[in-house]
Amino acid sequence: MARERGLKVRHWEIGNEPDLYAVTRGDKSWTPERYCEVFRAQAKAVKAVDPQIKVAGPAVSGIHAAPMRFLERFVELCGDVVDVVSYHIYPTEGDGSEDAALASVAQVDATLRSVRDTLRDPRRNPLGYTRELPIAVTEYGLSWKTDRPRFLADMPAGLWTAETALRLARQGVDMAHYFAYQGTGFHGLLDNAGVPRPTYYAFRLLNGLEGRFVPAESSDSRLWSHAVRNGDSMQVLLLNTQTAPLRVALDVAGWQVRQASYFDAAIVEGEADFGTLAAGRELTLPARSMTVVKLQRAP
């Protein structure tokens, strides 16, 4: 059907969140073993139509213990046939404290390390441990509860989403898709009236990044920092997760600050353009804000 319509789809994800089929379909026969059997059959069928197609899976529902066990068993059984290993990231149900929700970003790194270790382990991936498989996070969001605005349409969601995108990019994940389920509930970047949410502002700031990641560190664990360099230009990203303004000093010898753009809750609520901080090596970051500092190599 895709070929008839001229759709050149290179990657096909087989199934979606099969670890939940026993619940969502009321069919407890959907084990990793059965999913692997179906995966093999469907992979063979699509590649018979187009041998260049890459098949992805298992697209498990999250990074908690149960879906990760499903993924590990799938890799053990189907590591020789899957072309892209995929999973989803949803650390909350739109509940709990804001600090705990923001701190859950550490799970992004831990899960990626765990999946890579699984793929390279002859014991856990006996059929495919010699293959260098791409990894895809085909859905991610701070919460999976579409009907709750908390952690989807607020500033913690905007900051966590930007930080997750940066961490996945920095660590070389091959594909990463924010779950922007638009027009229903609170997952979209815009609300149902077309009003931008914090996640929209976050991706707008990320959109201008170009170059390669270079080391960046913060002395405050509540300040997330990244740096991207492109020749004689560099952009430093500063995400203040605190509920109070934060004074920072940039240690960027040999670089001149040209511009500092940011957004916070007030800017989102006012549907305003990005704010601007006075360009300098000392900045006061607004509470719960994201800032991109543009620098130029000093002559």
Side-chain angles (χ1 to χ4, degrees):
M1 291 174 64
R3 187 170 60 185
E4 290 170 359
R5 287 159 175 77
L7 302 175
K8 298 179 180 179
V9 183
R10 294 268 60 86
H11 295 85
W12 291 80
E13 195 165 50
I14 297 177
N16 181 63
E17 300 186 345
D19 57 300
L20 297 181
Y21 287 177
V23 176
T24 59
R25 300 185 179 190
D27 184 351
K28 295 189 182 301
S29 70
W30 279 105
T31 61
E33 290 78 9
R34 181 184 175 189
Y35 173 71
C36 180
E37 291 177 3
V38 173
F39 190 97
R40 283 186 178 276
Q42 294 194 7
K44 182 178 179 180
V46 296
K47 291 192 176 189
V49 176
D50 182 354
Q52 301 304 312
I53 282 176
K54 302 296 184 183
V55 290
V60 292
S61 63
I63 56 177
H64 305 301
M68 283 294 104
R69 284 195 298 269
F70 192 104
L71 181 147
E72 289 169 2
R73 180 61 172 157
F74 167 77
V75 168
E76 181 182 358
L77 299 171
C78 266
D80 59 326
V81 66
V82 64
D83 296 315
V84 181
V85 175
S86 62
Y87 60 92
H88 301 165
I89 300 176
Y90 292 111
T92 83
E93 298 184 7
D95 54 9
S97 72
E98 293 185 351
D99 286 343
L102 290 165
S104 72
V105 77
Q107 298 175 26
V108 173
D109 302 316
T111 301
L112 182 56
R113 286 194 299 270
S114 176
V115 171
R116 282 181 168 151
D117 288 345
T118 296
L119 293 176
R120 294 165 180 165
D121 187 342
R123 181 179 57 84
R124 289 181 287 174
N125 184 14
L127 303 178
Y129 70 92
T130 61
R131 306 171 69 209
E132 286 295 327
L133 292 178
I135 295 175
V137 177
T138 46
E139 293 181 21
Y140 68 91
L142 183 51
S143 168
W144 63 270
K145 292 289 286 185
T146 305
D147 59 348
R148 290 182 185 174
R150 185 174 175 82
F151 300 155
L152 286 178
D154 53 15
M155 280 301 296
L159 296 176
W160 182 94
T161 299
E163 179 68 7
T164 296
L166 287 162
R167 291 189 183 207
L168 292 174
R170 191 182 66 204
Q171 297 185 42
V173 168
D174 296 87
M175 289 175 264
H177 309 147
Y178 175 68
F179 190 68
Y181 193 46
Q182 188 59 46
T184 302
F186 296 96
H187 270 295
L189 302 178
L190 311 174
D191 71 14
N192 292 344
V195 177
R197 290 176 171 149
T199 46
Y200 175 85
Y201 279 85
F203 280 117
R204 275 190 63 200
L205 270 185
L206 292 177
N207 186 50
L209 293 184
E210 202 172 63
R212 60 181 176 84
F213 284 101
V214 293
E217 295 182 4
S218 168
S219 59
D220 189 330
S221 62
R222 296 167 296 178
L223 175 65
W224 298 336
S225 60
H226 303 267
V228 176
R229 181 175 177 179
N230 185 24
D232 289 335
S233 299
M234 185 164 62
Q235 296 182 67
V236 175
L237 296 100
L238 302 171
L239 289 80
N240 178 18
T241 66
Q242 299 182 65
T243 55
L246 181 65
R247 186 74 173 172
V248 300
L250 300 176
D251 183 7
V252 285
W255 294 84
Q256 296 176 344
V257 177
R258 297 297 191 190
Q259 185 182 27
S261 302
Y262 77 95
F263 78 92
D264 60 4
I267 286 175
V268 175
E269 290 168 7
E271 299 178 50
D273 202 354
F274 295 125
T276 302
L277 302 177
R281 292 193 180 184
E282 292 191 358
L283 303 168
T284 299
L285 307 177
R288 288 274 165 83
S289 66
M290 176 177 174
T291 302
V292 172
V293 184
K294 295 184 178 180
L295 305 100
Q296 192 71 28
R297 191 75 175 171

